[in-house]
Amino acid sequence: MKYVLMFIETEQFAKDFEALAPAEKEAAYRRVYQWFDDHADKITNRGSKLQGAETATTVRLDGGVAMTTDGPFIEGKEVVSGFTEIEVEDLDEALRMVRTWPACPVIEIRPVTQM
């Protein structure tokens, strides 16, 4: 089964990360790269880090009318900061995998619909 993992940063996580010394940031990135390497056999799309929420453009479709606004799709203290696609047996395997994620504190797991 395919799932998309969406990595979600909180404001506090972003502040704490920004406060790290360069060597600490480098170590944190190494842990993330290692996580991807450890699960490479299940990852179908290595994933990407998104630019900040302030760079987003949102299009809302309402009754055939498209309204475009700057900024993220929701207002909140959490933002999707990256994503990857995995292929695993079931949700339990996906849960075991994300429990070892070494970075941002929230991961949304969403099944991919086969079209």
Side-chain angles (χ1 to χ4, degrees):
M1 178 139 203
K2 287 188 179 182
Y3 292 92
V4 168
L5 307 180
M6 290 181 280
F7 305 111
I8 302 169
E9 290 184 3
T10 61
E11 285 182 350
Q12 188 61 52
F13 176 84
K15 285 179 190 175
D16 292 346
F17 186 80
E18 204 49 45
L20 294 175
E24 293 172 311
K25 285 182 183 177
E26 187 176 315
Y29 281 119
R30 276 197 309 273
R31 287 191 298 274
V32 168
Y33 298 143
Q34 185 63 55
W35 184 89
F36 276 102
D37 288 345
D38 291 347
H39 299 286
D41 60 324
K42 296 173 185 73
I43 295 171
T44 59
N45 171 338
R46 182 86 175 184
S48 298
K49 174 94 170 118
L50 300 174
Q51 292 186 22
E54 69 280 358
T55 67
T57 299
T58 299
V59 178
R60 295 187 196 305
L61 302 174
D62 185 17
V65 177
M67 179 191 294
T68 304
T69 57
D70 290 336
F73 59 96
I74 58 170
E75 303 235 353
K77 296 180 186 242
E78 298 179 342
V79 295
V80 176
S81 63
F83 62 93
T84 195
E85 186 176 291
I86 62 171
E87 188 161 353
V88 293
E89 283 297 313
D90 54 24
L91 180 58
D92 289 335
E93 186 175 1
L95 288 167
R96 284 190 300 275
M97 195 171 157
V98 301
R99 284 188 182 112
T100 63
W101 175 246
C104 56
V106 180
I107 299 107
E108 181 175 324
I109 303 170
R110 197 176 296 184
V112 174
T113 300
Q114 301 299 317
M115 311 232 2

